[in-house]
Amino acid sequence: MPFGGGGANNAYSAQSQGGGGGIGSFMPFGGSNAPRLNIICAAFADQDVTQQVRRMVTPDQKFEINTDDLEKNFGNPWPDKRKQFSILYSYGQRPWELAASSERRGPFSLVPHEPLDTNRMAFVKQGRVVAVVWGVENGLKQGELEKLKQIETTGEFQATNDWFGFDGMWPDTKTAIVYYRAGNDIRFAHARENGTVRMPWN
């Protein structure tokens, strides 16, 4: 059964908080020497959960959640489906990273002083398109240049395994998320599997 509401989608915006220029910035409390955790943008299925995630950052600059409890924290935007969860973030002045998971995968955390994760860094691009997520995987891991060119020039693509070239969360139905730059904000466009992702420049 196709999903995606006839291919329509919305673009969500991660507005600035705490003077972070489009990024949720948190000052460590007390004498903590933990680098500041910047929650740039976050998605649960096709729902913007950036503000909720920012509120869950602890004074010692950690974000921790049990993925079995994602619905309890963020609601249920896609009933009867196992939903994905992704966060675009950075610690202090470190490069941006993107972490992706899904429901029923146990504990999930962002913790200060962890080494940079090359897999999480690989999601992040320097152009207008920041990252593409298919299920819980990097949507650009196959044919990156061709896919970026299509997104930039046509402003749309099909949220299918055929387009991505792999199944990003087998055997579950997935969501495609495209994080992109919009001035000083980071926003995302999305579509459920078999729908069409349409960028604002479409």
Side-chain angles (χ1 to χ4, degrees):
M1 176 179 177
F3 293 91
N9 69 348
N10 295 308
Y12 292 116
S13 171
Q15 300 294 332
S16 96
Q17 177 174 320
I23 300 170
S25 302
F26 294 84
M27 291 297 295
F29 283 66
S32 172
N33 63 353
R36 185 183 306 171
L37 173 55
N38 302 309
I39 301 298
I40 301 163
C41 199
F44 179 47
D46 50 10
Q47 176 175 285
D48 180 18
V49 294
T50 306
Q51 297 301 329
Q52 295 98 308
V53 172
R54 288 173 177 170
R55 288 193 292 269
M56 294 171 69
V57 174
T58 63
D60 57 353
Q61 302 302 289
K62 294 180 182 178
F63 171 78
E64 297 177 303
I65 195 169
N66 189 322
T67 57
D68 295 340
D69 297 332
L70 289 172
E71 285 187 14
K72 294 179 184 176
N73 286 275
F74 305 131
N76 189 1
W78 200 356
D80 304 319
K81 297 294 179 183
R82 184 182 185 190
K83 290 165 284 294
Q84 69 195 56
F85 175 56
S86 59
I87 303 179
L88 185 65
Y89 72 98
S90 68
Y91 267 107
Q93 300 303 310
R94 297 192 342 172
W96 290 6
E97 300 181 58
L98 188 144
S101 189
S102 69
E103 293 181 292
R104 302 193 295 276
R105 287 193 172 200
F108 175 95
S109 64
L110 305 178
V111 181
H113 307 302
E114 283 184 333
L116 286 167
D117 187 316
T118 55
N119 291 324
R120 292 181 176 186
M121 290 176 64
F123 273 94
V124 181
K125 309 304 170 192
Q126 299 305 312
R128 178 161 55 170
V129 173
V130 177
V132 181
V133 187
W134 180 230
V136 296
E137 296 191 32
N138 184 350
L140 299 175
K141 72 178 184 179
Q142 295 185 15
E144 176 180 317
L145 294 179
E146 294 82 0
K147 287 180 170 60
L148 283 173
K149 182 178 179 180
Q150 180 177 338
I151 296 170
E152 287 280 356
T153 57
T154 70
E156 67 177 44
F157 65 90
Q158 297 302 303
T160 63
N161 289 331
D162 285 344
W163 191 86
F164 283 102
F166 64 95
D167 189 326
M169 200 169 80
W170 187 88
D172 299 294
T173 308
K174 293 160 289 296
T175 306
I177 299 289
V178 181
Y179 293 95
Y180 66 92
R181 291 179 172 87
N184 290 327
D185 293 334
I186 300 297
R187 304 179 181 182
F188 67 82
H190 59 85
R192 295 176 181 182
E193 189 164 358
N194 297 320
T196 302
V197 178
R198 291 191 171 89
M199 308 304 297
W201 54 86
N202 177 284

Coordinates of all heavy atoms in Angstrom, one line a residue, residues 16 19 28 30 36 48 71 76 106 121 138 159 177:
S16 N 16.2 29.4 15.7 CA 17.3 29.6 16.7 C 16.8 29.6 18.1 O 15.7 30.1 18.3 CB 18.1 30.8 16.3 OG 17.7 31.9 17.0
G19 N 20.5 32.1 20.9 CA 21.5 32.9 20.1 C 22.3 32.0 19.3 O 23.5 32.3 18.9
P28 N 26.5 25.0 29.5 CA 26.7 24.1 30.6 C 26.4 24.7 31.9 O 26.8 25.9 32.1 CB 28.2 23.6 30.4 CG 28.5 23.9 29.0 CD 27.8 25.1 28.6
G30 N 26.8 25.3 36.0 CA 27.8 25.2 37.1 C 29.2 25.2 36.5 O 29.5 25.9 35.5
R36 N 29.3 22.4 24.8 CA 27.9 22.6 24.6 C 27.3 21.7 23.5 O 27.9 21.6 22.4 CB 27.7 24.1 24.2 CG 26.2 24.5 24.1 CD 26.1 26.0 23.6 NE 26.9 26.8 24.5 CZ 27.2 28.1 24.2 NH1 26.7 28.7 23.1 NH2 27.9 28.9 25.0
D48 N 8.6 17.1 13.1 CA 9.7 17.9 13.7 C 9.6 17.8 15.2 O 8.7 18.2 15.8 CB 9.5 19.4 13.3 CG 10.6 20.3 13.8 OD1 11.6 19.8 14.2 OD2 10.4 21.5 13.8
E71 N 7.6 7.1 21.3 CA 6.2 7.6 21.1 C 5.8 8.3 22.4 O 5.0 9.3 22.3 CB 5.3 6.4 20.9 CG 5.3 5.9 19.4 CD 4.3 4.9 19.1 OE1 3.3 4.7 19.9 OE2 4.4 4.2 18.1
N76 N 2.7 10.0 18.3 CA 2.7 8.9 17.3 C 2.2 9.5 15.9 O 1.1 9.4 15.6 CB 1.7 7.8 17.8 CG 1.8 6.6 16.9 OD1 2.6 6.5 16.0 ND2 1.0 5.6 17.3
G106 N 16.6 0.0 21.7 CA 17.3 0.2 23.0 C 17.7 1.6 23.3 O 17.3 2.6 22.6
M121 N 29.4 11.6 10.6 CA 29.9 12.7 9.9 C 29.7 12.6 8.4 O 29.5 13.6 7.7 CB 31.4 12.9 10.1 CG 31.8 13.4 11.5 SD 33.6 13.5 11.7 CE 34.0 14.7 10.6
N138 N 22.3 6.5 5.6 CA 22.6 7.7 4.8 C 22.1 7.5 3.4 O 22.5 6.6 2.7 CB 24.2 7.8 4.8 CG 24.7 9.0 4.0 OD1 23.9 9.6 3.3 ND2 26.0 9.2 4.1
A159 N 10.5 8.6 -2.9 CA 11.0 8.0 -1.6 C 10.8 6.5 -1.8 O 9.8 5.9 -1.2 CB 10.2 8.5 -0.4
I177 N 14.0 11.8 4.7 CA 14.2 13.1 5.3 C 15.3 13.8 4.6 O 16.4 13.2 4.4 CB 14.5 13.0 6.8 CG1 13.4 12.3 7.6 CG2 14.8 14.3 7.4 CD1 12.1 13.1 7.7

